[in-house]
Amino acid sequence: MSSDNGRPEPAAEEPGGEQLALIRESVRKAKAPKAKPRTWRGAALARELPVAKVLVDKGPVHLDKLWDYAVPAEMDAEAKPGVRVRVRFGAGTGKVREGRREGGGLLDGYIVERVAESDYRGPLAAVAQVLSPEPVLGPGLLALCRAVADRYAGSLADVLQLAVPKRNVRAEGEPSPPPLPPPGAPAAGSWERYPAGPGFLDALRGGGTPRAVWTALPGPHWPREWAVAVAATLASGRGALVVVPDGRTAARVDAALTEVLGGAGRHVLLTADLGPEERYRRWLAVSRGSVRAVVGTRAAMFAPVRDLGLVGIWDDGDHSHSDDHAPQPHARDVLLLRAVHERTGFLLGDLGRTVEAAQLVENGWARPLEADREQVRAAAPLIRTVDEGEVARDAEARAARLPTLAWQTVRDALTRGPVLVQVPRRGYVPRLACERCRAAARCAHCAGPLEARDADRLACGWCGRAETSWHCAECGGVRLRARIVGARRTAEELGRAFPAVPVRTSGRDHVLDRVPDRPALVVSTPGAEPVADGGYAAALLLDGWALLGRPDLRAGEEALRRWLDAAALVRGHADGGLVVVTAEPTQRPVQALVRWDPAGYAARELAERAQLGFPPVSRMASVAGPAEAVDELIAAARLPEGTETLGPVPLPLTEPGRPRRPGEPPPGEEWQRALLRVRPGQGSALAAAVKAAKAQRLARGEKDPAVRIDPFDIG
DNA sequence: AGCACGCCGACT
DNA sequence: GTCGGCGTGCTC
């Protein structure tokens, strides 16, 4: 019964599509293009609801609407809402010539709805084929995808490609296991360490929808705490979804869930490294309601969990939470949308705190879920700082390239266990800073970051204005210093210094998961730190200035995040854990680390962003493309009143050979980028205006600039 | 994206 | 007079 062939041979064997195509052709022959809709009545159409509203999933963006197709009677049973279909699209009108088949190419899509009548004034083509009877796009998932598309000024089709996995015939053919009954309520366990912890769990267990920003205590307990929160939600008869930045973390939470839920039947792990087939198998288990708890990486944010009671995200500052496919939705935002639309609880957990999380707390949408100061002090290691200036003055340190305190700390700690050494990755471009107070140099007009254009010319990276008489807004200084990325400290160097101790490395290429509880030096780049089974005895966080000097609005936040992540792997103060960070002790992120006060840091940062008109308080859209395209899009958009346009400024050329990231010019093309900035509360109006302008331009077949809402990687 | 239709210049 | 340029617009 295969119907996939390109040969239009025996009409009898080809159900539906061909037959209706013929009918339609005869209609066209019989009468002029317009009028006479429904002449195809009498064909073998479904008796009830013979019209399918179809969402075409590939092809040009402006097809971002529903199209009506006729449902042949043979397909009636299978052509349910949510199933994948193929339809003929385009160019159908004129091809009456003999010897050629009518209709344009076959496009994939989904049936969104079955209705009784079409309001399209013309003959309907038929659904060409139901690809599979599996309803993969339910009403909830569709509504979510629509909301995400609007939020990001993107097309529904683009979002669907992120949300619905590719079909796999084998996985789809298998039944999913029957659902297990909800588990019993778990004990609060280490959640007791947070005053509001047990109450949060009680609310979940009781069917409530609590919302919290959770600042996790350093140490190894948070994966299990996630598992307990999920179990409490399952106990209420609802589902739960937790999104984490990477597969390593997902595996840790998955293991904790298996433990807490007493087996693997009630939850699934959804990560990219499963491969398409297994991933689809698990996704189907969720979609079919046989599993109601999901932990996974960012694509799992769309998982169609039935009767969702809790959405969670861990470490929302990690860049992996932002999808790199258009329209680049961020897991935090998608889960926020789900929490609102699906009326669920919300838990954002982090060792630190992003400015966005601080905003959720500040505007009262979520409650802080934090431990008392004494708990924090006991769980966190002791933090010592070594000033860069001190390193320079200390002759011994300069020779050894490590300050004395760091040497002593390592030597001492190595008698008690492994020592972690965090070394920034190379390739960070430092930004310009005041020589006296080291505040970032910002544009006097729009507060964008100043950049050195060539030899001595300064210009703003946002609005492009030249700066000829810069002076520091903080201290009045007039001299800038451009910092240079220093040499990377290598594992070999440390190996020579401590010949008796094994040296392990973990970085982009080889990421270690765990290291045993034995003396060893573990050299790692930020984000790749292995977990030490008994906690590290100490950690060195080297070259802090390289993290702090990044030309990014989030440099401080990001540096603090990297440090907290590494320091959280070190034994607590009570167990002798010690961290040495080489960075200016006067810098705010450094002070926040020493006090272990990420919430305070984020609150201050948020206040400052508000004052300077930075995201996330102000909302922004970035528009990048060829100069005319950018200008035209902005001119055509009916932007909310008071929208500021910064730029356009030329973007750096893409070096050939390097994989191109979205929003970057193709090699050889010169692109401009403008930033649109609106006041708080106008973010969705901005997205809607840009989306409308994009659609309008695309309808005329013009090249569309790359639009990004809330870009986080700007100056 | 394709592929129509549609309204102005070089040609038999 | 006709053929044909590719500039707008539609595709169920």
Side-chain angles (χ1 to χ4, degrees):
Chain A
M1 304 245 168
S2 132
S3 55
D4 71 331
N5 62 53
R7 280 170 248 202
E9 279 233 57
E13 295 220 355
E14 186 105 34
E18 282 312 301
Q19 194 180 336
L20 271 145
L22 287 173
I23 289 160
R24 179 176 153 155
E25 197 157 336
S26 63
V27 168
R28 288 200 47 78
K29 271 181 201 156
K31 197 63 193 174
K34 64 170 179 181
K36 285 239 178 170
R38 302 179 159 259
T39 334
W40 38 261
R41 203 189 334 205
L45 293 177
R47 217 174 282 156
E48 283 183 35
L49 307 180
V51 176
K53 298 227 169 253
V54 173
L55 182 85
V56 177
D57 142 307
K58 295 210 178 69
V61 181
H62 69 280
L63 298 184
D64 214 23
K65 56 171 220 150
L66 300 180
W67 304 87
D68 292 353
Y69 282 85
V71 179
E74 295 93 313
M75 292 183 198
D76 184 36
E78 293 198 329
K80 294 188 300 276
V83 301
R84 303 180 207 252
V85 292
R86 307 186 92 183
V87 292
R88 292 194 181 282
F89 192 91
T93 24
K95 284 201 180 172
V96 229
R97 258 198 231 154
E98 243 193 353
R100 278 174 107 187
R101 291 173 56 180
E102 193 214 14
L106 282 169
L107 295 179
D108 292 342
Y110 304 89
I111 293 184
V112 162
E113 202 185 352
R114 290 274 300 268
V115 294
E117 285 184 58
S118 170
D119 45 15
Y120 177 64
R121 314 283 306 162
L124 293 188
V127 171
Q129 190 186 355
V130 174
L131 285 173
S132 106
E134 184 85 33
V136 289
L137 182 62
L141 184 54
L142 176 66
L144 172 64
C145 291
R146 282 209 163 106
V148 171
D150 289 345
R151 167 74 174 69
Y152 284 93
S155 76
L156 182 53
D158 280 348
V159 178
L160 283 177
Q161 293 206 14
L162 304 177
V164 184
K166 240 191 89 213
R167 182 163 115 95
N168 177 282
V169 176
R170 196 181 322 169
E172 204 173 78
E174 301 165 5
S176 297
L180 296 175
S190 57
W191 275 115
E192 303 272 8
R193 301 180 301 162
Y194 305 85
F200 187 80
L201 296 177
D202 281 343
L204 290 176
R205 192 161 33 223
T209 58
R211 300 190 291 241
V213 169
W214 162 38
T215 306
L217 284 165
H221 300 295
W222 54 264
R224 197 184 171 94
E225 284 156 5
W226 272 116
V228 168
V230 167
T233 312
L234 289 180
S236 75
R238 298 174 298 170
L241 165 64
V242 179
V243 178
V244 302
D246 52 63
R248 236 167 34 126
T249 312
R252 287 177 74 188
V253 177
D254 179 61
L257 272 166
T258 305
E259 225 177 274
V260 169
L261 296 173
R266 289 190 178 93
H267 70 283
V268 285
L269 173 68
L270 276 185
T271 55
D273 53 17
L274 294 170
E277 180 180 334
E278 180 57 21
R279 188 185 181 142
Y280 189 49
R281 182 173 289 117
R282 296 184 185 190
W283 188 90
L284 284 172
V286 175
S287 172
R288 293 165 176 174
S290 78
V291 172
R292 316 187 79 176
V294 175
V295 56
T297 44
R298 65 171 179 245
M301 64 192 174
F302 291 106
V305 178
R306 299 263 181 100
D307 195 12
L308 197 55
L310 175 69
V311 290
I313 180 168
W314 174 250
D315 193 7
D316 66 312
D318 192 298
H319 286 34
S320 328
H321 280 306
S322 196
D323 207 296
D324 44 4
H325 299 289
Q328 296 163 270
H330 192 287
R332 177 187 49 238
D333 291 328
V334 173
L335 294 179
L336 279 168
L337 288 169
R338 290 193 81 160
V340 173
H341 285 143
E342 299 175 49
R343 297 216 170 85
T344 77
F346 178 85
L347 183 58
L348 183 156
D350 196 352
L351 291 163
R353 183 172 291 181
T354 60
V355 181
E356 286 80 2
Q359 197 177 26
L360 295 177
V361 172
E362 211 228 31
N363 65 28
W365 192 81
R367 308 275 283 274
L369 182 37
E370 294 162 339
D372 294 334
R373 278 319 293 177
E374 303 84 70
Q375 282 275 8
V376 174
R377 258 194 288 276
L382 182 66
I383 316 276
R384 308 273 309 266
T385 62
V386 181
D387 188 341
E388 298 170 72
E390 200 177 307
V391 181
R393 281 191 301 276
D394 182 342
E396 193 189 332
R398 206 165 51 227
R401 298 179 61 200
L402 264 191
T404 315
L405 175 63
W407 279 112
Q408 287 168 351
T409 302
V410 172
R411 195 178 314 144
D412 186 46
L414 278 173
T415 64
R416 290 177 287 120
V419 173
L420 176 66
V421 181
Q422 187 197 59
V423 185
R425 290 201 9 238
R426 292 201 298 168
Y428 291 135
V429 186
R431 68 182 167 188
L432 297 173
C434 171
E435 188 183 60
R436 202 194 306 175
C437 78
R438 303 202 175 159
R442 298 212 162 266
C443 171
H445 177 255
C446 76
L450 288 186
E451 291 168 356
R453 273 293 141 84
D454 36 56
D456 262 333
R457 289 187 19 247
L458 294 176
C460 173
W462 286 1
C463 72
R465 281 183 171 72
E467 177 60 78
T468 50
S469 57
W470 177 84
H471 64 271
C472 176
E474 301 292 321
C475 75
V478 293
R479 301 190 55 169
L480 287 166
R481 75 173 204 170
R483 297 161 138 190
I484 307 147
V485 176
R488 193 176 33 167
R489 274 157 233 274
T490 60
E492 290 90 54
E493 231 176 306
L494 285 161
R496 276 198 298 277
F498 298 95
V501 178
V503 180
R504 326 254 338 241
T505 58
S506 181
R508 261 182 90 73
D509 332 324
H510 327 281
V511 176
L512 289 175
D513 280 348
R514 325 188 64 88
V515 293
D517 189 15
R518 281 200 297 275
L521 276 159
V522 181
V523 181
S524 172
T525 54
E529 296 90 353
V531 177
D533 283 334
Y536 289 98
L540 295 186
L541 311 176
L542 298 180
D543 289 341
W545 57 269
L547 286 178
L548 286 170
R550 294 184 56 203
D552 190 307
L553 194 52
R554 293 172 184 271
E557 181 186 335
E558 175 74 0
L560 177 56
R561 198 187 131 242
R562 297 301 200 178
W563 292 333
L564 291 169
D565 283 352
L569 300 173
V570 177
R571 295 169 194 163
H573 190 183
D575 300 317
L578 181 62
V579 171
V580 175
V581 54
T582 63
E584 301 280 334
T586 54
Q587 299 244 30
R588 259 164 45 195
V590 182
Q591 294 182 344
L593 175 68
V594 169
R595 293 197 311 272
W596 205 279
D597 181 24
Y601 176 81
R604 269 190 78 172
E605 192 73 13
L606 178 68
E608 196 168 282
R609 300 259 187 102
Q611 202 163 26
L612 292 173
F614 285 167
V617 184
S618 294
R619 299 276 303 274
M620 282 187 166
S622 118
V623 180
E628 334 76 67
V630 171
D631 292 344
E632 285 167 26
L633 181 85
I634 293 174
R638 300 180 55 189
L639 298 168
E641 199 167 320
T643 303
E644 270 180 281
T645 304
L646 307 175
V649 295
L651 279 178
L653 294 174
T654 305
E655 318 121 47
R658 196 172 51 73
R660 192 172 142 239
R661 292 205 305 268
E664 287 184 346
E669 268 190 51
E670 285 183 25
W671 274 20
Q672 303 263 321
R673 184 194 67 190
L675 293 172
L676 304 173
R677 174 159 71 180
V678 294
R679 311 174 61 66
Q682 291 190 301
S684 52
L686 175 65
V690 172
K691 183 172 178 172
K694 239 172 76 170
Q696 194 189 328
R697 284 175 50 80
L698 269 162
R700 284 183 280 128
E702 290 168 55
K703 217 167 150 192
D704 62 321
V707 168
R708 177 142 194 197
I709 302 292
D710 295 342
F712 58 74
D713 49 359
I714 48 167

